[in-house]
Amino acid sequence: MADPLHTVLCDRLGCRYPVIQTAMGWVATPALVAASSAAGAFGFLAGAVMRPGELAAAIGALKAATDRPFGVNFHMFQPGAAEIVEILIAEKVRAVSFGRGPDAALIRRLRDAGIVCMPTVGALKHAVKMAELGCDMIVVQGGEGGGHTGAVATTVLLPQVLETVSIPVVAAGGFADGRGLAAALAYGACGIAMGSRFLLTRESPVPDAVKARYLEARPERILVSTKVDGMPQRMVPNAALERIERAGPIGRWLRALDAGLQIRRATGASWGDLITAARGMAGHGDMSFSQALMAASAPTLIQRAVVQGDADGGLMAAGQVAGRIDDLPTCQALVERIVAGARARIEALTAAPAERPNRRSA
Ligand SMILES: Cc1cc2nc3c(=O)[nH]c(=O)nc-3n(C[C@H](O)[C@H](O)[C@H](O)COP(=O)(O)O)c2cc1C
């Protein structure tokens, strides 16, 4: 019998199991991507928060750490995007992920270079658009997913997309274990993509004190806020988020200006770069200047938590699933557990009812 865990995703991405470690700003570093790829998953590097030189160095570090294929996340509105595209093509990365951004011509160019184009979408209409633009696969993220997220739950959005597009679909938003992988395959997806679960691993660079706050969170408390950058974003609640939620327009302006100054100091980006990035991230050109600035500054607040370890002053983007995670395995142990769990669920489904193993086995 064919291996149910060997899917088109394994063939196209060159990984052993149909499991993707998604890009997370400052979290999906070369160390995490190398570890998840070595474990048989497919890792994406968080290129959307890097300048071109930084990305080239990260790709070099990753290639030195692993001979497994990997992907890079980017968007067309980040400073240096055109240069980043050239780097991705020159370095022959296996795949790229993005939200909005590349048009049909660029997607064709990337594909002609042998790069798998697999955007993440959070709504049916975006899935249809990305299929029309010529993408190879789509990652469909339900509303329970971490970071920027949509309004429709994975259990509703995933079948909607599967019924509508004909390219392979990867399920994301709320996955953490073998039970979820088996369920996604049963829906007709070719695999799962996970952010929060890989953030909570031994190789994830997030400081321990911040990981501890993620582990303490409960699913019903990991909520969506639109106050950070005007777009729905799911996060673990903390003092910084409460302050943002309570702030009036002047407070939000001051925060955006302060964070904008920090980005300029750290990256040398001009105010023009920041606004272009912000408008692009929001996907529409009718944002107010202050909202655009808030969008551009939001990543520095996440960086403050996941890099600097400030669990009260920074923001902790997270999927609801973080609320049911209570350990920090290595990527290797995690992937092995997911694979064993998925196999157990698939066997249980095909076994005679009296032989069905204990339900806690996945
Ligand atoms: C801390 C954090 C940072 C993220 N940063 C990015 C990013 O830079 N680019 C991106 O496309 N998605 C980003 N995401 C979304 C994830 O890649 C992924 O789509 C999401 O976490 C999936 O949902 P899950 O957390 O339920 O697995 C981020 C998510 C988290 C939790």
Side-chain angles (χ1 to χ4, degrees):
M1 198 181 101
D3 179 359
L5 298 192
H6 187 97
T7 72
V8 63
L9 184 148
C10 305
D11 292 333
R12 300 232 182 136
L13 298 184
C15 53
R16 197 148 160 226
Y17 302 117
V19 175
I20 287 175
Q21 167 253 300
T22 64
M24 292 170 279
W26 295 288
V27 178
T29 53
L32 180 62
V33 176
S36 53
S37 295
F42 185 86
F44 275 96
L45 194 62
V49 295
M50 294 179 192
R51 307 286 282 190
E54 222 182 318
L55 177 63
I59 290 176
L62 193 39
K63 284 188 170 173
T66 181
D67 56 1
R68 307 298 311 153
F70 60 87
V72 176
N73 177 246
F74 77 110
H75 60 80
M76 285 312 290
F77 309 100
Q78 71 189 93
E83 210 182 315
I84 281 175
V85 168
E86 299 311 320
I87 293 171
L88 299 176
I89 291 173
E91 293 286 348
K92 297 186 170 49
V93 300
R94 177 63 73 109
V96 289
S97 71
F98 47 85
R100 301 179 200 95
D103 57 12
L106 179 54
I107 288 169
R108 201 172 320 113
R109 192 167 163 232
L110 289 163
R111 292 187 68 191
D112 286 349
I115 298 175
V116 176
C117 291
M118 41 190 309
T120 302
V121 300
L124 177 62
K125 67 175 184 191
H126 295 143
V128 171
K129 175 92 190 289
M130 290 299 175
E132 282 169 4
L133 285 176
C135 293
D136 298 272
M137 284 191 229
I138 304 179
V139 178
V140 172
Q141 177 174 324
E144 54 271 65
H148 289 117
T149 203
V152 182
T154 302
T155 45
V156 177
L157 183 61
L158 179 61
Q160 249 190 327
V161 173
L162 283 162
E163 282 157 14
T164 310
V165 304
S166 52
I167 55 178
V169 172
V170 183
F175 294 95
D177 57 14
R179 217 180 267 287
L181 174 55
L185 296 177
Y187 269 104
C190 64
I192 55 171
M194 306 187 296
S196 302
R197 180 61 273 195
F198 277 104
L199 183 148
L200 292 169
T201 57
R202 201 94 61 83
E203 293 90 343
S204 149
V206 174
D208 288 345
V210 175
K211 283 182 183 166
R213 295 287 283 272
Y214 274 92
L215 292 175
E216 277 166 20
R218 300 273 53 94
E220 61 277 15
R221 297 269 298 129
I222 302 177
L223 301 174
V224 170
S225 171
T226 54
K227 293 275 170 56
V228 176
D229 60 8
M231 294 171 279
Q233 197 167 174
R234 200 176 274 289
M235 282 166 298
V236 175
N238 66 354
L241 184 59
E242 272 165 36
R243 256 197 316 274
I244 289 168
E245 288 280 327
R246 275 200 316 264
I250 294 175
R252 284 203 285 276
W253 253 103
L254 289 175
R255 180 172 59 76
L257 281 172
D258 180 51
L261 283 169
Q262 282 181 41
I263 303 179
R264 277 169 51 82
R265 265 199 301 273
T267 67
S270 68
W271 286 111
D273 282 344
L274 288 177
I275 301 309
T276 307
R279 285 188 193 282
M281 277 185 253
H284 48 79
D286 57 357
M287 286 170 100
S288 69
F289 181 79
S290 67
Q291 195 187 352
L293 203 51
M294 279 194 286
S297 67
T300 56
L301 286 170
I302 293 180
Q303 186 183 23
R304 195 155 150 184
V306 301
V307 178
Q308 291 156 24
D310 185 351
D312 288 307
L315 293 174
M316 294 177 283
Q320 266 186 317
V321 74
R324 64 174 282 257
I325 293 174
D326 55 12
D327 63 353
L328 298 169
T330 61
C331 289
Q332 182 71 35
L334 174 65
V335 172
E336 279 172 12
R337 189 163 81 194
I338 290 173
V339 166
R343 291 201 194 287
R345 294 316 310 157
I346 293 166
E347 272 166 34
L349 280 170
T350 47
E355 294 165 15
R356 285 189 182 166
N358 184 315
R359 285 199 179 80
R360 295 189 65 79
S361 63

